[in-house]
Amino acid sequence: MTEGVLRIGVAGLGTVGLGVIRTLAAHGDLIARRAGQKIVVTAVSARERGRDRGVDLSPYAWVEDTAALADHPEVDVVVELIGGSEGTALALAERTLAAGKPLVTANKALVARHGRALATLAEAHGQPLLFEAAVAGGIPVLKALREGAAANGVARVYGLLNGTCNYVLSRMESEGLDFATVLADAQAAGFAEADPSFDVDGIDTAHKLALLAALAFGTTPDFDAVATVGIRAIDKADIEQAASLGFRIKLVGLAEARDGKLFQRVHPALVARDHPLATTGGALNAVVIEADPVGRLFLQGAGAGEGPTASAVLADVIDVALGRGGLPFGMPVAALTALANDDGAAREARFYVRLSVADRPGVLAELTAILRDQGVSIESLIQRPHAGEGLASLVMVTHVTAEAAMAASLAAMAASGSVHGAPVMMHILDF
Ligand SMILES: NC(=O)c1ccc[n+]([C@@H]2O[C@H](COP(=O)([O-])OP(=O)(O)OC[C@H]3O[C@@H](n4cnc5c(N)ncnc54)[C@H](OP(=O)(O)O)[C@@H]3O)[C@@H](O)[C@H]2O)c1
């Protein structure tokens, strides 16, 4: 270690990696005053050395074997900005901590999958493992949970954790467009990846939710336990119907701990138009933390992009410089509790349901009888003639009802022969 200088090695020179280099160049003096020492990039690595990245990389050593950045003699801290839960990112993370060096990463997939093992390694070697940028980009939500709300019992944490989904849903509503049109536009504008599945299928949100839940409830991230539904099936008819009922459709990641069990779900849900999540439009992210004794905290901001993500990465590097890296999940690994998975079957909610039904006498009575038999009561019901031949569209909002009763009702409706195609059902977020 050079006196008064913290030397970082940056693995990955894409959006975030270059953001870190540019932000250090722009704010280096201020960062040095805050960190108590100068922070400099000494070595970098990526896949293709020759690629023009619009940044002069000549001051930095190029490391051909990315995982070897961990052992570079002029690197005190490794910043992993490659991505992916396995392969080079995992090898570099393990090698860095095993070499007794701090690791800063923006990689949610890596920490959601291997968080416990990496935290164990970090603890064994007395090194920080920091990943603020992995959840909600520029929003300091992990710091809020780990530090600001450290004295609280968290009851619930939920939010909009994927900017691409929020952007697509917001534009579908504001411009009356369908999913495929907005997604294609978003891809052309660089808001969505060429392979959008991680985003639109909810996987990215699930990675982030697993990390939020781990910090909120003092448990190990359990990505496989997150029940995940994305936004591909959202029809513009649902956006319009939701709007006419006073709601917006959002892709919500929600985690709650109750009776020793952890509930984690990512799904499109209807949010009242005056809820802070509903007013979080475009590509913004937002997180709500409900905790005792602090009450409700609401954080909103840019969840991705070069600047916001670099901001979070460098905040972690500053913490390392100041020796306040802390413990990855806010407590020693041995103190993390294992919570059984709550699959949600016993939960209750109001539901939005849209059905295409045969437009003939008796159908409504048949369907309402199914609901009655399952103990589901209807708060409102709208019937509209449908574009399809001989079909009508039924949109209903239920009173609070058990999820299991709702699922059984839909199965019985589908089996009745009166419902055309798959019924659409979404939760209404009443908190
Ligand atoms: N973009 C965001 O707004 C954002 C926000 C929050 C978190 N993150 C996370 O930050 C990380 C980086 O994201 P990004 O958007 O910056 O990605 P990106 O633009 O695709 O850049 C990835 C970089 O990693 C390098 N790379 C990929 N595979 C590699 C390998 N096997 N060995 C060595 N280098 C490899 C690439 O090298 P080449 O350039 O040579 O191909 C590229 O420079 C990811 O974990 C992502 O989830 C991103």
Side-chain angles (χ1 to χ4, degrees):
M1 187 169 297
T2 309
E3 197 60 35
V5 178
L6 188 72
R7 303 167 303 176
I8 66 173
V10 177
L13 296 168
T15 305
V16 187
L18 294 177
V20 166
I21 289 173
R22 288 195 184 105
T23 306
L24 262 182
H27 299 286
D29 290 344
L30 182 65
I31 288 172
R33 273 159 49 218
R34 296 222 164 99
Q37 56 190 307
K38 229 171 130 68
I39 292 173
V40 296
V41 176
T42 47
V44 295
S45 185
R47 262 180 313 213
E48 246 185 81
R49 183 172 190 171
R51 177 175 295 180
D52 178 6
R53 301 173 193 272
V55 163
D56 177 14
L57 297 176
S58 62
Y60 319 125
W62 178 269
V63 177
E64 195 58 41
D65 170 9
T66 302
L69 202 61
D71 308 314
H72 196 284
E74 287 181 12
V75 168
D76 305 316
V77 180
V78 169
V79 178
E80 184 277 306
L81 305 169
I82 298 169
S85 64
E86 315 298 324
T88 307
L90 178 60
L92 175 63
E94 291 173 339
R95 203 157 146 182
T96 298
L97 295 169
K101 293 184 183 179
L103 178 73
V104 172
T105 178
N107 189 336
K108 51 238 145 185
L110 176 76
V111 189
R113 284 267 180 214
H114 303 290
R116 188 182 178 94
L118 291 173
T120 304
L121 198 56
E123 236 175 87
H125 292 272
Q127 294 304 321
L129 159 63
L130 289 163
F131 45 93
E132 182 64 64
V135 180
I139 305 175
V141 64
L142 300 188
K143 228 179 206 318
L145 283 166
R146 200 192 279 117
E147 298 174 22
N152 285 258
V154 178
R156 180 187 281 153
V157 59
Y158 64 104
L160 313 182
L161 302 171
N162 183 273
T164 303
C165 287
N166 206 25
Y167 172 85
V168 169
L169 292 172
S170 299
R171 276 199 62 198
M172 282 175 74
E173 185 189 342
S174 62
E175 294 173 43
L177 298 170
D178 62 23
F179 172 78
T181 307
V182 179
L183 180 62
D185 251 30
Q187 285 169 318
F191 279 114
E193 302 286 335
D195 174 5
S197 48
F198 257 52
D199 292 324
V200 300
D201 293 332
I203 300 158
D204 176 78
T205 303
H207 283 142
K208 294 166 179 169
L209 184 70
L211 296 180
L212 276 181
L215 264 299
F217 306 117
T219 185
T220 301
D222 188 359
F223 166 72
D224 289 327
V226 185
T228 305
V229 177
I231 64 166
R232 276 186 208 270
I234 305 283
D235 197 289
K236 75 178 191 184
D238 294 310
I239 303 236
E240 285 161 13
Q241 293 294 352
S244 72
L245 292 162
F247 297 101
R248 290 208 162 102
I249 298 175
K250 297 286 186 184
L251 185 72
V252 175
L254 163 68
E256 273 180 31
R258 219 187 280 164
D259 305 326
K261 286 186 164 184
L262 177 60
F263 171 76
Q264 300 180 89
R265 184 184 275 162
V266 173
H267 62 170
L270 272 69
V271 182
R273 218 184 311 210
D274 58 355
H275 191 287
L277 290 191
T279 55
T280 300
L284 286 179
N285 282 19
V287 184
V288 180
I289 301 166
E290 291 175 9
D292 179 61
V294 73
R296 190 198 234 196
L297 299 172
F298 174 66
L299 294 93
Q300 186 190 62
E306 177 178 321
T309 313
S311 158
V313 169
L314 285 166
D316 281 349
V317 174
I318 292 169
D319 274 350
V320 170
L322 292 168
R324 59 179 191 202
L327 292 163
F329 294 103
M331 59 182 78
V333 171
L336 297 171
T337 48
L339 293 174
N341 181 35
D342 173 357
D343 67 5
R347 291 173 66 85
E348 294 188 327
R350 287 195 300 154
F351 291 91
Y352 161 95
V353 180
R354 183 171 59 83
L355 306 162
S356 285
V357 298
D359 195 4
R360 58 173 165 73
V363 168
L364 197 55
E366 189 186 339
L367 298 179
T368 49
I370 289 173
L371 292 167
R372 181 202 58 215
D373 292 349
Q374 292 295 337
V376 177
S377 84
I378 298 170
E379 185 181 292
S380 66
L381 188 142
I382 308 164
Q383 179 171 358
R384 295 231 168 87
H386 196 259
E389 188 76 15
L391 294 174
S393 169
L394 272 190
V395 173
M396 58 182 107
V397 170
T398 72
H399 284 292
V400 172
T401 190
E403 287 203 5
M406 204 60 233
S409 304
L410 289 190
M413 287 178 180
S416 73
S418 298
V419 174
H420 183 85
V424 175
M425 181 191 83
M426 279 180 266
H427 289 65
I428 296 178
L429 209 74
D430 276 321
F431 38 82

